[in-house]
Amino acid sequence: MRLSPERSPTQPQPVRLRGWAALALAILGLGAVPWTATAALVAPSAHPQEAAAAPRGPVLEPVEIRAEQVANALQSVGLSADGTAPIRIGVPELRRQLVYQFGSQALDSRKVDVFIEQERAAQIAAGVSPERFEIGEQEVKRKVEEALQSVRDQYPTLDPAVVLSYNNIDIRNLERMTRQSTMFDIVFLPENPDEWPATTAEAIKGRMSEAFVTQLKDGYAKRQEALANMTEEERAKAKQSQGIFQMLLRTQVQQELNAAAKIEWASEGLPVEVAMRINGRDIPVAEVYADIESSLTSQQIEEARRWMAKCALLEAVLQRAGKLLSEEEFAPLYEAHVHPPGESVFPMETVIRQFQKFPSMDVYRQYYRLLASYERMIAGELDDQNLQAHFDARGNRLLNLGTVDAELILCAAFDFEQNRWHPDGWKAAAEEALQVTEALAAAEGSNWDELLERHSDFWDPPAPTQAQAQPNAARKKNKGRLGAMNRNEMLQILGESDYRIFLEGGSVTDEIFFALEEGQVGGPYAGPHGYYIVRILARNAPTLARNLAEANFRETVRQDYLATRFSGFAAAACDSAEVE
């Protein structure tokens, strides 16, 4: 492998299910958190390879970094290279990393299985009949068909399997997911709140209030009576509303179960054959890997190898600098980071997984240990003078919600409608991007609108048939006429993330926000789905006036300074090493 300007193509921005199609999946408990990512900036001549599907049981090879490559990385940051040793990461470790990076849904499912299994055993031990936990196969098949029909009704022009895949659901797993969700509700959320186990009641009380639980219990009989007196159409609407409410309750319970569970990962010293340990129960790597191996692409394997090589190389550099945190030093620091005191709108796991797009908590834990160690290395830089300079150069555009109005021409390597890569897509996209660039240069940019209409492949999914049921519809891409956006909005619409920015060393979004000025045209840049050519129409001033005298804001600037410096440090070390 090579840590070079070449980057991997990634999953596209998902089609957000709206209307009854989304509600049906929510009722089944299948509302997945889509994972999106990006590739970083490269010239078209260094396009990524196609993401060809690997055969079942792909041949994995160790990750090896020669001693001279490690020495180059050390010397690039001013450290001695004396006595440098090579780095070798074995196939078992690579297999587990693939599980962490591309098997997060399977891991989450195993975690829920453990929660269900332990609570069900406790209830049976307390005298509940095992028959209560039996699920009829016909019931599962009926729910699956209802969900699929709802998707067909809402998106008649799309294959249901494609719509589900955009929402991180493999149609082959739909029956298993439905069965698990049904069992979760039987165990934790029976229809009558008086039958809730103590685990559920305490979770809802803690996250809502005791009065809320009392109100649900007291109102159950009245709700059942009202349902009995409804027409069929009224009952259908009530079922829809109840499905949304059940999803909210399910989320509350799952968050509480996650918070209360003891979850251990590889970075905490688990044996290499164990992917995760939850409440004392080992989840074997082999079990989860078997779920994902047939769908792994050669590009995903390459991405996992790059992640492991980058982390191992940075660990060696920080170790040589005497700044790498030991596990004993890091563990309490990480615990305080992911479980901060006080109220928070979102749990840290939600921020890490859904907003920053780290594929699993262990992947984030690997990253955060390196980041915290690097913070020790540059502790002397984190003063007001450097933070103010960082804020003036970058933070004012980033942290004060300044916006950029940009238009982008995307020469796509990806077939959005079918949710798959075009054959030879990157090669064709690179050639098209060069043609567009040459045409722009020849006309001095006067033909921008014409070229955008002809070549830009940004795709907006069709609106669901029940359009009135989508109050929070995803922002349209309009062939790349994005309108004014802040940085977080642009990261989302391009499918980029903090995880990808660290892995790849840059992003199209940051070129737009921090490199190009008003009136400039830039690119082509290789990004998540192809090659992007950008025109900056306008920069809009921040909407808030902030300064470093505000303690919370100063901390936000400090964190961005640290992350930005660390990303640059990591990229410089890896580029110098030229890791194969």
Side-chain angles (χ1 to χ4, degrees), residues 337 348 356 364 367-368 371 375 382 387 390 394 398-399 552-566:
H337 172 64
M348 274 300 294
Q356 298 179 345
Y364 180 75
Y367 165 79
Y368 192 72
L371 177 69
E375 183 176 0
L382 299 172
L387 294 184
H390 177 76
R394 170 183 165 95
L398 170 67
L399 303 169
N552 289 342
F553 186 67
R554 184 185 188 280
E555 176 60 19
T556 302
V557 174
R558 190 190 72 83
Q559 290 176 4
D560 186 68
Y561 178 91
L562 175 62
T564 304
R565 290 277 282 116
F566 180 54

